[in-house]
Amino acid sequence: MSKAGVYPPAPEICAAAHIPSFQKYQEMYQRSVRDPSEFWGEIANDFYWRVAPSQPFLKYNFDVTKGKIFIKWMKGAVTNICYNVLDRNILEKKLGDKVAFYWEGNEPEESTSVTYAELLKKVCQFANVLRDQGVKKGDRVSIYMPMVLELVVAMLACARIGAVHSIVFAGFSAESLCERIMDSHCSLLITADGFFRGDKLINLKLIADEALKKCEEKNYSLKKCIVLKHLGREEVICDGTSRMSPPSKRLCPSVQTKWNPSVDLWWHDLTKDASTECEPEWCDAEDALFILYTSGSTGKPKGVVHTVGGYMIFTATTFKYVFDYHPDDIYWCTADIGWITGHSYLVYGPLANGATSVLFEGLPIYPDISRMWQIIDKYSVSKFYTAPTAIRLLMKYGEEPVRRYTRKSLKILGTVGEPINPEAWLWYYNVVGEKRCPIVDTFWQTETGGHVLTPLPGATATKPGSATFPFFGVVPAILDESGEELEGEAEGYLVFKQPWPALMRTVYGNHERFETTYFKKFPGYYVTGDGCKRDKDGYYWITGRIDDMLNVSGHLLSTAEVESALVEHSSVAEAAAVSHPHPVKGECLYCFVTLRDGHEFTKTLTDQLKKLVREKIGPIATPDYIQNAPGLPKTRSGKIMRRVLRKIAKNDRELGDISTLADTTVIHNLFDNRCHTGL
């Protein structure tokens, strides 16, 4: 940590920022903690309420020993989030002609844009379509679509009529889609014919059909499925304009869209005569806005429920301050909307601020390894938000692909999804940002709805790899195994002591699971499931999931710390460390390393890596096993599936649910090349 140093905010950023100093941040933070109702009440005043929030502004119980867990912000206030992110921006802020999204397709030649006024018309049309199909307030609608503008239209249309959207990432399997449809009791599915991901054609409708068939086999049938023609847009004449219908580079005559006339409906047929005006459904602040599924330790995904009012004001506020948003910014979050980052920081947060965003359908290295930097220059992106996995991937190719483009428009860089190792942070800072762009390394979860630990540009000095400080209204604590709060420098369980507006309200259909997962281990606290260190300066360092901690001869080790040491070697692009049974030490370290292009895996290299870990952390952390891993098992959002790696290390082929795995071929390779451990 100390090697990387401390990076103070640049003076020019301080001058432009919403928060002009660290002292001001501290004052605002203390006020937000001391009186959250007053603090968030002032922020809520910036939004439109049909019935304004009143006292009590916040009611909650975090202690299972005192009764049912509940969180209520602004209960009784009435609003509509779609109205706030579209109508309010057009009517009050006069942003109708401002671009809401630049859409960049899989191929560089495919692009289009949509203004706030155009987006509102599209949303109203589709909201009327949903109403015509019998969708009512509170009904759940499943959305299984690629990264196209119509995905935004579909989710906002649901929000406009008070329906609850449940977006399923378009890389998930038919089984995963079926499971999520059934768990949330969805009444309608929205999908597309297909899309290209790089060179690979994904026949989405075929997967959706298989999912609906699986639902039927389990005695659950959906009456309607609305299908967007994405691959064959040139066949559809839409409004006499191509703004929402960019031509496809590839014609796909071989892709047959299987059709069930009793269930399937074309999007373009339904919308062509639909009215462009639609009165919003006015909702209580505590009404459900969406369900989003996240992995569960039992293998059964949890349907995280977020509500209208609190989620709206928190995502809007975190976006404004964390990215120091200004009206002339062009913002790009590379996350898929199928994940919480896409919900909060590609759709709701930016739109609530009247921002212009880039919506990207493609891959970071397709059709070449400079694609990201080409897009930044094309749209003059000023705020860029991506994942450490993507940064490490691009690091493999060196600096030259980055330097082909100027990136002179960049002002702030962000990371999301997992802790970033200092080496990747420094490459991002030095090469991509050319030492002039602050990095906001954000820690949060699907469950938290928005950023909870993060630097603020212009306010906080940063340490590479640290999530830095809590956001307004967020009160972290570090607990030991017995539940005692640790003061000063400490390491243990990361918990939070009080709610913020966007914290999840329940697990859909299973409130008992919600209480058990997040509140029973340490009554009185929201338990993140993550390990955390706090250093002498009060900075927070996420050490990874508690499940990814291991106990070697009585010493608690963070796998994230070991991985960070391994990737300091010039040959290593990425590393993953997991626990492995040991007859003497109880547990030992089994590490997987992915090498940079042009480097070989040798005994000399493994010796160097073990020495490096000993030097960085200590002899107790020396890995017993290091395996060459040309590919690591990752979810489609880029997270390493360490649960699967633990199985491989132990030669256990009962892998459980791997439906979220992006590439199953890496599994066979890893089993074939595993180290001999006696298991």
Side-chain angles (χ1 to χ4, degrees):
M1 288 184 234
S2 57
K3 176 195 170 191
V6 177
Y7 291 76
E12 61 272 18
I13 292 294
C14 291
H18 290 290
I19 306 175
S21 69
F22 183 59
Q23 181 182 354
K24 179 66 173 174
Y25 154 73
Q26 289 179 309
E27 290 171 0
M28 291 179 69
Y29 176 74
Q30 291 301 328
R31 189 164 66 87
S32 73
V33 171
R34 187 171 59 250
D35 193 342
S37 293
E38 181 185 6
F39 181 86
W40 290 108
E42 289 177 8
I43 290 171
N45 288 337
D46 290 337
F47 295 83
Y48 177 81
W49 302 90
R50 193 72 165 213
V51 176
S54 59
Q55 296 300 329
F57 200 82
L58 165 64
K59 292 180 71 176
Y60 75 99
N61 174 42
F62 268 15
D63 191 339
V64 288
T65 66
K66 295 180 179 177
K68 182 179 178 180
I69 299 295
F70 69 91
I71 304 136
K72 294 177 181 178
W73 285 89
M74 303 172 289
K75 177 71 176 171
V78 176
T79 191
N80 181 282
I81 194 169
C82 178
Y83 184 92
N84 273 282
V85 304
L86 293 180
D87 307 62
R88 182 176 61 105
N89 280 321
I90 295 166
L91 299 173
E92 294 180 22
K93 300 184 180 179
K94 310 302 180 188
L95 299 179
D97 293 333
K98 185 176 183 178
V99 171
F101 290 101
Y102 290 110
W103 179 79
E104 180 78 8
N106 184 62
E107 302 290 338
E109 301 82 18
E110 298 174 353
S111 60
T112 189
S113 64
V114 63
T115 66
Y116 274 85
E118 290 167 336
L119 184 58
L120 176 59
K121 287 181 180 179
K122 297 290 181 184
V123 168
C124 285
Q125 279 186 310
F126 199 67
N128 287 322
V129 165
L130 292 177
R131 278 180 171 161
D132 288 345
Q133 296 303 317
V135 178
K136 304 181 299 299
K137 180 180 178 180
D139 287 350
R140 277 76 57 209
V141 174
S142 194
I143 304 174
Y144 184 60
M145 298 178 79
M147 285 283 283
V148 290
L149 290 167
E150 287 86 354
L151 172 50
V152 177
V153 170
M155 63 194 294
L156 291 179
C158 289
R160 194 166 190 86
I161 65 171
V164 179
H165 59 73
S166 172
I167 299 177
V168 180
F169 173 59
F172 276 173
S173 66
E175 183 64 42
S176 296
L177 176 58
C178 164
E179 183 176 40
R180 287 156 174 77
I181 288 171
M182 291 183 62
D183 186 78
S184 55
H185 300 93
C186 285
S187 60
L188 181 142
L189 173 64
I190 306 167
T191 189
D193 51 359
F195 66 103
F196 276 95
R197 189 163 179 80
D199 279 325
K200 186 179 181 182
L201 174 63
I202 311 294
N203 192 327
L204 208 58
K205 176 64 163 57
L206 202 64
I207 302 169
D209 285 344
E210 187 182 343
L212 295 184
K213 184 180 177 185
K214 288 178 180 290
C215 288
E216 279 191 24
E217 289 169 355
K218 297 173 182 177
N219 298 315
Y220 189 90
S221 60
L222 253 64
K223 301 284 192 293
K224 298 294 178 185
C225 176
I226 298 175
V227 186
L228 172 74
K229 183 170 275 196
H230 178 50
L231 289 175
R233 285 176 183 268
E234 64 284 333
E235 301 167 18
V236 180
I237 299 172
C238 187
D239 294 351
T241 175
S242 63
R243 290 190 71 85
M244 291 288 282
S245 300
S248 294
K249 181 180 178 185
R250 306 161 193 253
L251 297 176
C252 306
S254 60
V255 177
Q256 298 297 316
T257 304
K258 185 181 175 185
W259 206 250
N260 180 351
S262 64
V263 174
D264 297 332
L265 301 158
W266 281 118
W267 176 298
H268 57 273
D269 285 341
L270 295 171
T271 56
K272 64 183 178 183
D273 296 323
S275 170
T276 57
E277 294 184 3
C278 176
E279 176 67 15
E281 185 73 36
W282 300 104
C283 304
D284 189 279
E286 279 298 314
D287 283 346
L289 172 62
F290 66 85
I291 300 167
L292 188 59
Y293 285 85
T294 187
S295 302
S297 57
T298 64
K300 179 178 170 57
K302 303 185 292 286
V304 170
V305 176
H306 284 291
T307 52
V308 174
Y311 178 83
M312 176 177 71
I313 65 173
F314 193 78
T315 53
T317 307
T318 46
F319 176 80
K320 174 183 175 181
Y321 284 110
V322 175
F323 297 108
D324 185 30
Y325 171 69
H326 291 266
D328 58 348
D329 280 329
I330 305 296
Y331 165 81
W332 181 19
C333 169
T334 66
D336 193 286
I337 294 174
W339 309 111
I340 187 62
T341 303
H343 280 57
S344 298
Y345 298 115
L346 186 49
V347 180
Y348 288 113
L351 289 178
N353 283 275
T356 296
S357 299
V358 175
L359 180 67
F360 179 44
E361 185 188 28
L363 296 173
I365 56 172
Y366 178 85
D368 66 61
I369 53 180
S370 289
R371 184 73 189 278
M372 306 280 267
W373 324 122
Q374 179 261 329
I375 292 172
I376 285 172
D377 276 10
K378 177 177 179 179
Y379 296 106
S380 296
V381 171
S382 54
K383 311 293 170 67
F384 179 60
Y385 194 34
T386 195
T389 301
I391 296 165
R392 288 191 290 265
L393 168 66
L394 295 163
M395 278 177 68
K396 286 175 61 176
Y397 301 102
E399 297 181 14
E400 190 277 329
V402 186
R403 300 199 189 279
R404 286 179 207 166
Y405 296 89
T406 70
R407 294 153 285 109
K408 64 182 180 182
S409 58
L410 286 174
K411 295 178 181 176
I412 291 174
L413 303 173
T415 70
V416 60
E418 59 185 309
I420 185 170
N421 54 295
E423 289 64 40
W425 192 103
L426 288 167
W427 186 85
Y428 198 31
Y429 180 79
N430 292 326
V431 178
V432 178
E434 296 181 322
K435 301 181 180 180
R436 58 182 173 77
C437 300
I439 293 178
V440 287
D441 176 10
T442 60
F443 169 76
W444 57 300
Q445 304 171 307
T446 303
E447 295 90 339
T448 71
H451 304 142
V452 286
L453 298 176
T454 176
L456 295 181
T460 47
T462 50
K463 296 183 183 184
S466 167
T468 314
F469 299 117
F471 192 74
F472 303 130
V474 175
V475 186
I478 296 177
L479 306 184
D480 63 16
E481 187 65 48
S482 63
E484 293 296 316
E485 284 193 32
L486 303 173
E487 302 297 329
E489 286 185 73
E491 181 172 4
Y493 293 87
L494 176 64
V495 300
F496 293 106
K497 299 169 73 168
Q498 65 186 45
W500 51 93
L503 182 61
M504 71 182 291
R505 300 303 196 258
T506 189
V507 169
Y508 185 78
N510 195 340
H511 195 73
E512 183 181 352
R513 188 180 184 191
F514 171 63
E515 295 183 334
T516 300
T517 305
Y518 303 104
F519 296 94
K520 275 197 175 170
K521 184 174 180 65
F522 299 120
Y525 301 92
Y526 166 80
V527 181
T528 65
D530 283 291
C532 185
K533 285 183 183 178
R534 186 173 51 231
D535 69 18
K536 61 183 176 59
D537 300 316
Y539 284 62
Y540 288 87
W541 302 77
I542 305 302
T543 56
R545 302 297 292 172
I546 291 295
D547 292 345
D548 295 329
M549 303 290 282
L550 66 156
N551 197 317
V552 178
S553 301
H555 296 268
L556 195 65
L557 286 177
S558 158
T559 56
E561 200 170 2
V562 175
E563 291 162 5
S564 183
L566 290 168
V567 296
E568 283 200 27
H569 195 286
S570 59
S571 298
V572 178
E574 196 163 25
V578 298
S579 66
H580 186 272
H582 190 278
V584 177
K585 295 185 284 190
E587 290 180 288
C588 67
L589 277 160
Y590 189 113
C591 301
F592 300 80
V593 294
T594 301
L595 303 186
R596 295 176 184 268
D597 288 354
H599 293 265
E600 286 187 39
F601 187 83
T602 62
K603 184 180 185 304
T604 301
L605 176 61
T606 60
D607 290 343
Q608 290 173 353
L609 291 173
K610 290 180 180 182
K611 183 172 181 285
L612 185 60
V613 174
R614 277 198 302 273
E615 291 173 350
K616 293 290 178 184
I617 305 172
I620 194 70
T622 305
D624 281 54
Y625 306 101
I626 299 179
Q627 176 180 337
N628 184 22
L632 291 169
K634 296 180 181 179
T635 65
R636 293 169 183 84
S637 65
K639 287 189 178 180
I640 297 168
M641 297 181 72
R642 288 174 177 79
R643 172 181 64 82
V644 171
L645 289 178
R646 285 193 288 271
K647 294 274 191 177
I648 292 167
K650 290 189 285 190
N651 203 23
D652 180 355
R653 294 180 184 265
E654 295 295 322
L655 299 180
D657 178 20
I658 55 171
S659 60
T660 60
L661 192 62
D663 180 9
T664 55
T665 60
V666 301
I667 299 292
H668 307 294
N669 181 285
L670 290 171
F671 269 118
D672 289 344
N673 292 289
R674 65 180 293 277
C675 301
H676 296 293
T677 65
L679 294 179

